[in-house]
Amino acid sequence: MRVVQKFGGTSVGSIERIKKTADIVQAELERGVQVAVVVSAMSGETNRLLALAKEMSEQPKGREMDALLATGEQVSAALLAIELQARGIAAYSYNGGQAGFVTSGDHVRARIKHVEGAHLIAHLEAGEVPVVTGFQGMDEKGNITTLGRGGSDTSAVALAVAVDADVCDIYTDVDGIYTTDPRMVPKAQKMNQISYEEMLEFASLGAKVLQTRSVELAMRFQMPLHLRSSFEPVQGTMVVGEDETMERAAVSGVAYNRDEAKITIMGIPDQPGIAANVFGPIAAAGVNVDVIVQNVSEQGFTDITFTVPRSDYKQTMGIMHMLCEQMQGRVVKGDDGVAKVSVIGVGMRSHAGVAKDMFDVLAKEGVNIQMITTSEIKVTVVIEEKYIELAVRTLHTAFGLDQANS
Ligand code: ADP
Ligand code: ASP
Ligand code: MG
């Protein structure tokens, strides 16, 4: 049996927590399991480093940001290796590049190209414990790169695939994946199991419990994930392939994301190529556009509304003002006080009317829906941010999620 254990920021947030984490590693080794570890930075550390850089410059260059941010994980990896060694366990800390994580050169949002895992496998076969920094790697020119916020989850899954682990354990500060963020809704229920597909929707729609790309990777390689608590030794939630035989409720969970901003460009000529004209320069700036709505045209003119991450709002507004002038549009409007709430469930494939029920619930609470988007297994609406808690709670209740259903 071979496992990769990933410990998030709170699980390595202090000397005491690192010792608890070492207990978990040790217990697994004593059961005869081969263990490779991936760690995050101590909780709060990545934010602290980001704030330091901001004191130096409004827009620090990506290469230096990565050099700075990667240090957080190095501290926790080294400390955990030191603690394991003090217990007589052969442990070796490695940073991303040393561990063999080869990434693209896109600083601050690099993608893992491959992991050269041979030396890590040699450690595992010798009963030794590699302790690898999450969230980072090295590009082909030897520059340090990082994988985007929450990226240690993706490092862990990539490592699990590279060393052919049986399971990837993600240790965190909750004991499983819940029907919605348990910090916002105390009545949220823990799930025993969730399919990759649903988890992918949860993650990409804002449930920060797992980074989206880690779920994509796990799904592609069918790597089972076990999301569990480093505070309590209880069974967590398994993320696995979809179980066709199970009866499904229409909605299995609610996700939200506050990190949204909405931009509208009005009165632009409605002709072929117009959407490409608008979204080309935004994509070139590396901004991810999310929900898009284009209105029917009136007298040859149209409006396009879309959302972007709030952190990209200012930059995107700048681009839109420039485009508006070029295209002789009427006006650009922006609102960085919006948020997104989604109901998710593979059961929606066989249950009609979920969208309508969702709109009814929100209407009853007086929440105005600004934008709507759907897929086969989710309905998402953009609303004013101040209603987000109300919306998440009432939807959670209305779709019967306040009670355990298994
Ligand atoms: P780590 O530092 O261990 O990576 P994160 O803070 O990234 O931990 O992720 C764990 C947090 O995810 C939880 O504390 C919880 O508030 C949040 N979360 C959001 N949605 C969910 C959900 N559906 N189920 C469980 N946790 C969730
Ligand atoms: N330390 C990084 C972050 O805070 C990566 C991670 O914890 O997954 O985003
Ligand atoms: Mg995380």
Side-chain angles (χ1 to χ4, degrees):
M1 174 91 174
R2 183 176 284 174
V3 304
V4 168
Q5 298 182 325
K6 179 256 172 177
F7 294 93
T10 44
S11 308
V12 292
S14 64
I15 293 303
E16 293 76 61
R17 292 300 314 158
I18 291 176
K19 289 187 172 169
K20 283 270 178 231
T21 286
D23 291 344
I24 295 173
V25 177
Q26 190 171 9
E28 205 71 335
L29 289 170
E30 282 166 5
R31 289 178 42 218
V33 177
Q34 297 180 1
V35 184
V37 179
V38 172
V39 288
S40 287
M42 296 169 88
S43 56
E45 179 64 7
T46 307
N47 286 341
R48 188 183 75 87
L49 295 170
L50 277 168
L52 287 177
K54 278 268 145 50
E55 282 192 33
M56 295 295 168
S57 156
E58 255 308 302
Q59 284 195 308
K61 288 239 162 54
R63 185 180 181 281
E64 310 321 319
M65 279 313 285
D66 280 348
L68 178 68
L69 294 181
T71 63
E73 270 68 12
Q74 291 189 34
V75 171
S76 38
L79 287 175
L80 177 59
I82 290 169
E83 173 62 21
L84 290 169
Q85 286 166 5
R87 299 174 183 212
I89 296 165
Y92 298 84
S93 71
Y94 289 105
N95 70 21
Q98 291 174 318
F101 280 76
V102 181
T103 74
S104 69
D106 309 303
H107 286 293
V108 191
R109 52 175 137 231
R111 298 188 75 90
I112 299 170
K113 289 188 162 172
H114 61 274
V115 182
E116 283 158 22
H119 65 302
L120 302 177
I121 291 176
H123 277 311
L124 288 166
E125 283 173 348
E128 299 163 354
V129 181
V131 182
V132 177
T133 55
F135 176 60
Q136 58 189 275
M138 196 175 264
D139 72 6
E140 270 142 353
K141 292 186 193 136
N143 296 303
I144 294 170
T145 54
T146 64
L147 308 178
R149 297 308 302 268
S152 298
D153 297 329
T154 305
S155 306
V157 177
L159 187 64
V161 171
V163 303
D164 197 19
D166 296 291
V167 60
C168 182
D169 283 347
I170 309 277
Y171 284 92
T172 183
D173 58 359
V174 274
D175 64 358
I177 295 159
Y178 280 69
T179 46
T180 194
D181 187 349
R183 284 196 208 170
M184 183 187 273
V185 182
K187 283 183 184 162
Q189 302 289 324
K190 186 164 118 185
M191 304 185 220
N192 295 326
Q193 232 189 13
I194 182 171
S195 66
Y196 293 119
E197 231 183 335
E198 273 179 312
M199 190 60 230
L200 200 54
E201 292 284 2
F202 259 90
S204 64
L205 292 167
K208 300 216 165 54
V209 61
L210 281 171
Q211 200 197 33
T212 308
R213 274 158 52 204
S214 71
V215 186
E216 273 168 9
L217 208 58
M219 179 154 100
R220 171 137 53 99
F221 292 95
Q222 295 290 301
M223 174 58 64
L225 305 181
H226 183 184
L227 192 116
R228 58 198 300 189
S229 166
S230 67
F231 292 75
E232 282 174 288
V234 293
Q235 175 75 18
T237 301
M238 292 301 301
V239 187
V240 289
E242 195 172 321
D243 180 356
E244 303 286 350
T245 58
M246 241 162 77
E247 266 296 331
R248 293 274 174 184
V251 171
S252 36
V254 182
Y256 67 93
N257 191 0
R258 296 178 190 276
D259 177 28
E260 302 278 338
K262 184 179 82 165
I263 298 175
T264 304
I265 182 165
M266 304 180 85
I268 48 174
D270 190 11
Q271 61 202 31
I274 203 76
N277 276 349
V278 170
F279 294 113
I282 301 176
V287 175
N288 274 327
V289 173
D290 186 13
V291 184
I292 301 175
V293 174
Q294 178 173 353
N295 280 340
V296 284
S297 81
E298 215 175 291
Q299 286 156 0
F301 291 93
T302 188
D303 307 334
I304 296 180
T305 303
F306 58 92
T307 62
V308 294
R310 209 172 279 172
S311 49
D312 293 326
Y313 176 66
K314 272 201 189 131
Q315 187 192 2
T316 315
M317 281 297 275
I319 297 172
M320 292 313 291
H321 281 301
M322 207 180 63
L323 284 175
C324 188
E325 219 172 275
Q326 273 172 21
M327 296 192 294
Q328 299 180 327
R330 194 149 54 79
V331 68
V332 176
K333 287 186 177 169
D335 180 355
D336 61 354
V338 297
K340 206 168 71 173
V341 56
S342 309
V343 297
I344 300 156
V346 289
M348 269 183 221
R349 290 200 184 114
S350 51
H351 290 75
V354 171
K356 176 205 160 283
D357 292 346
M358 180 182 191
F359 305 155
D360 279 348
V361 170
L362 294 174
K364 264 195 212 114
E365 296 296 329
V367 178
N368 187 38
I369 298 171
Q370 304 184 8
M371 298 168 86
I372 301 168
T373 167
T374 66
S375 80
E376 219 189 349
I377 64 168
K378 67 120 198 282
V379 184
T380 297
V381 299
V382 175
I383 61 175
E384 221 179 309
E385 189 191 354
K386 69 176 186 201
Y387 292 124
I388 201 75
E389 282 206 36
L390 175 69
V392 172
R393 283 190 186 164
T394 46
L395 288 168
H396 196 266
T397 305
F399 283 105
L401 299 171
D402 291 351
Q403 295 86 31
N405 53 22
S406 63

